[in-house]
Amino acid sequence: MSSQSLQAEVDRLRLQLHSLQTEDGSKPITISDYLLTRLEQLNVTKMFGVPGDFNLAFLDFVEDHPTIDWVGNANELNASYAADGYARTKGHSSIGVVLTTFGVGELSAINGIAGAFSEMVPVLHLVGVPSTVQQKTKPMLHHTLGDGRFDAYSKAFEHFTIAQGHIIDANSAAATIDRVLTQCITRARPTYLTLPTNLVWEKISSERLKIPLSRLSPPNDPDVEAFVVDEIAKIVEEAQDDVIILVDACAIRHDVRDEVKELIEKTGYPVYSAPMGKTAVSETHERYGGIYVGSITRPDILQKVENAKLILSIGSLKSDFNTGNFTYSIPISRTIEFHSDNTKVQFASFPAIGMKELLPLVTARLKPAARVAPVPHFTAVVPQEDNDVITHAWFWPRMGQFFQPKDVIVAETGTSSFGILDVPLPDESVFVSQILWGSIGWTVGSTLGAAFAARDIGLNRTILFIGDGSLQLTVQELSVMIRHGLSPIIFLLNNSGYTIERYLHGKERKYNDISNWEWTSLLRVLGDTDETRSKSYTVKTKDELSALLDTSSFADAGKIQLVEVMMPKLDAPRALVQQAALSGKTNSYEAS
């Protein structure tokens, strides 16, 4: 057992002891302040949400808190998206928090919470609920269903959160808060916590706050772990250095990027990533070879990955869009899978052997590769096209020249998330995209949260790529960005509707059309009335876009900027076209 794991176990036992005994001499603290102090200890600086009558008293505490700011969103769905983007960008150092009111508010946020669950993002959904007396007597309150089922909403959230907690009295409040937050940070999933109106001011002991919450998962069984390390070392040796590393989303979500980097540095094995694992490994690393997406992978990368004798798969999440519609051609007999809570060595499974502790032991055991396989540098060349139309084939490599180290790059589901896959991102950049859940419009709220997080931890610019159809769903959050002085650069891809849907089915159908907006007036309408805090542009040609990208005042991102990029209606990135063809066959859009 590592020293960190041992300390975590000690901390857990101390917390359990505190919950079973009365502490003397500790300063009383309100339940509200206890919760906010715990969030402060988790490096939370922003709380997203919408005020409602069941959370207003708690909001007084939030607004008066010295380090946690209330953001205030246009609606609860966008707020949940923002909490998600905040948590992703901050990484393992914090969580996202969204506050809603009972019933109408929390149900508006449920899609965003489900997305965070699907993609393993630690978000606390805090709900202000009726008093404990009202929950027992069940009057016909507003925001209820009118039938006395006060627990209907919390039951719904049991399906979309990893842990739920209901503060019901002063005696158990601290333990409930700690349990819910611990599950959130150790399992990288959203959790759900209710706070009744009559307990906001209730006083409890502050003693437990002296012990930080442990971020570490339960330790691996040392005997099983030793056996697994032996097996892995044996199989790697048999592969005779014909080994590649394939990283995916859970390497990011469960904080093993440093461990992966050490494994690469020690062994020298080539490393590739799945789409959801983009930026898990620096894309400027000399051993990084690009993105593997099953059958839609670039041919040179496909050959390198699928012909390897052994694949060390780290944190894989095998969804359809993440695997080229399940077209991975990697047999189990040639794969070792590392996950947060289990390990698979070919056909053998080892539950409760997590990669956080296992990977350093494997790295220490393996030898540097005697035969270092060449890894072609992952590049994106701007094509020389004989026209001035802004195509996806030209746009994305050109954008690759615009990116800078430590940029936060947010890509909406569809043309943007597929288009950027073949573009290497700079060192220490953060890629934010919702490839599994794929909720249209998610990136607008997520960009808000990401921009706050980037400011907190010293990252560079926040850059959003989004289609015209997607932006119309959640456009209100641009007003919140303006109000808080954030300065993302927003590239609006105006291609007259839902391009990804057109490629899936119905290229000329009306249901894939949208109303065109006057996009360059949007920021003025949404809050920058004197046009001093924002700037908008429309670019129609390659030369116009390149000239803008090369303008230092634009690239410096001193204010929020929106660039309307005019693109052909039926143009799409290579990977999207291929993925849509595969999905179309699976979904059987045409009658047989």
Side-chain angles (χ1 to χ4, degrees), residues 131-153:
S131 71
T132 53
V133 172
Q134 290 172 322
Q135 291 183 52
K136 290 177 182 177
T137 58
K138 296 179 173 53
M140 192 177 290
L141 285 180
H142 62 289
H143 299 342
T144 70
L145 298 170
D147 60 0
R149 289 186 296 142
F150 277 49
D151 62 348
Y153 316 131

Side-chain angles (χ1 to χ4, degrees), residues 182-371:
T182 298
Q183 289 291 300
C184 187
I185 61 179
T186 58
R187 301 185 68 180
R189 299 268 192 176
T191 54
Y192 175 90
L193 181 66
T194 62
L195 176 58
T197 54
N198 64 311
L199 296 181
V200 168
W201 291 89
E202 191 80 11
K203 293 288 185 73
I204 61 175
S205 169
S206 62
E207 184 70 17
R208 293 173 64 103
L209 292 174
K210 296 176 183 177
I211 303 173
L213 300 178
S214 173
R215 295 180 176 274
L216 298 177
S217 300
N220 295 338
D221 181 290
D223 293 333
V224 178
E225 186 176 62
F227 176 80
V228 171
V229 172
D230 287 343
E231 289 299 299
I232 292 173
K234 191 185 309 177
I235 295 168
V236 169
E237 185 175 357
E238 291 171 355
Q240 298 178 331
D241 293 333
D242 190 1
V243 181
I244 66 107
I245 299 169
L246 181 61
V247 293
D248 206 342
C250 294
I252 300 172
R253 304 290 190 266
H254 293 282
D255 191 36
V256 295
R257 279 179 285 193
D258 289 343
E259 289 80 359
V260 172
K261 183 179 179 181
E262 290 174 5
L263 177 63
I264 298 166
E265 299 290 345
K266 171 73 177 292
T267 62
Y269 296 147
V271 58
Y272 302 86
S273 72
M276 291 180 68
K278 192 171 175 66
T279 67
V281 173
S282 171
E283 299 192 348
T284 63
H285 195 286
E286 61 181 5
R287 304 304 292 161
Y288 180 75
I291 303 288
Y292 175 68
V293 207
S295 65
I296 68 175
T297 307
R298 285 180 6 188
D300 56 329
I301 297 172
L302 182 75
Q303 186 270 339
K304 295 284 187 182
V305 173
E306 295 189 351
N307 288 347
K309 286 185 180 178
L310 182 65
I311 294 93
L312 302 181
S313 172
I314 302 175
S316 69
L317 194 61
K318 296 178 181 176
S319 71
D320 52 356
F321 280 13
N322 204 37
T323 63
N325 219 54
F326 311 114
T327 57
Y328 268 26
S329 184
I330 302 174
I332 296 174
S333 60
R334 290 195 280 124
T335 305
I336 296 172
E337 293 189 19
F338 299 87
H339 296 280
S340 63
D341 58 0
N342 73 91
T343 301
K344 297 178 180 178
V345 182
Q346 296 171 320
F347 296 97
S349 295
F350 299 91
I353 300 297
M355 60 185 173
K356 184 68 175 176
E357 289 193 339
L358 180 62
L359 280 171
L361 299 177
V362 170
T363 299
R365 184 70 174 274
L366 298 183
K367 300 175 182 177
R371 179 174 57 86

Side-chain angles (χ1 to χ4, degrees), residues 457-475:
I457 60 179
L459 294 173
N460 196 9
R461 307 169 301 181
T462 301
I463 303 171
L464 167 63
F465 295 95
I466 187 169
D468 48 353
S470 298
L471 183 55
Q472 290 190 1
L473 271 77
T474 49
V475 68

Side-chain angles (χ1 to χ4, degrees), residues 1-217:
M1 183 184 295
S2 69
S3 59
Q4 282 187 316
S5 297
L6 182 60
Q7 184 60 51
E9 287 298 297
V10 171
D11 289 344
R12 285 194 186 94
L13 291 172
R14 290 175 67 188
L15 282 176
Q16 289 176 6
L17 179 62
H18 284 307
S19 68
L20 295 173
Q21 64 186 20
T22 302
E23 300 296 336
D24 296 322
S26 63
K27 180 182 177 181
I29 188 173
T30 64
I31 292 174
S32 299
D33 280 326
Y34 183 96
L35 172 57
L36 291 171
T37 301
R38 277 301 194 206
L39 295 178
E40 183 180 26
Q41 291 174 349
L42 294 176
N43 301 312
V44 172
T45 64
K46 296 291 183 288
M47 185 178 294
F48 304 93
V50 178
D53 57 347
F54 292 114
N55 65 29
L56 291 176
F58 177 70
L59 268 173
D60 287 342
F61 286 86
V62 178
E63 187 165 315
D64 294 340
H65 196 276
T67 65
I68 298 177
D69 298 326
W70 172 248
V71 174
N73 297 87
N75 59 57
E76 291 89 354
L77 174 63
N78 292 350
S80 63
Y81 289 166
D84 183 325
Y86 179 90
R88 290 180 194 242
T89 305
K90 272 209 163 179
H92 198 62
S93 67
S94 192
I95 65 171
V97 182
V98 58
L99 171 67
T100 68
T101 195
F102 177 65
V104 294
E106 58 184 313
L107 292 184
S108 292
I110 201 166
N111 176 44
I113 298 301
F117 185 92
S118 171
E119 301 223 345
M120 288 171 288
V121 182
V123 172
L124 171 67
H125 185 186
L126 179 61
V127 185
V129 297
S131 71
T132 53
V133 172
Q134 290 172 322
Q135 291 183 52
K136 290 177 182 177
T137 58
K138 296 179 173 53
M140 192 177 290
L141 285 180
H142 62 289
H143 299 342
T144 70
L145 298 170
D147 60 0
R149 289 186 296 142
F150 277 49
D151 62 348
Y153 316 131
S154 62
K155 284 183 176 178
F157 275 94
E158 290 176 5
H159 298 282
F160 308 113
T161 54
I162 200 69
Q164 305 80 39
H166 303 283
I167 299 173
I168 57 174
D169 56 40
N171 293 331
S172 61
T176 298
I177 292 169
D178 288 355
R179 174 180 60 82
V180 168
L181 289 177
T182 298
Q183 289 291 300
C184 187
I185 61 179
T186 58
R187 301 185 68 180
R189 299 268 192 176
T191 54
Y192 175 90
L193 181 66
T194 62
L195 176 58
T197 54
N198 64 311
L199 296 181
V200 168
W201 291 89
E202 191 80 11
K203 293 288 185 73
I204 61 175
S205 169
S206 62
E207 184 70 17
R208 293 173 64 103
L209 292 174
K210 296 176 183 177
I211 303 173
L213 300 178
S214 173
R215 295 180 176 274
L216 298 177
S217 300

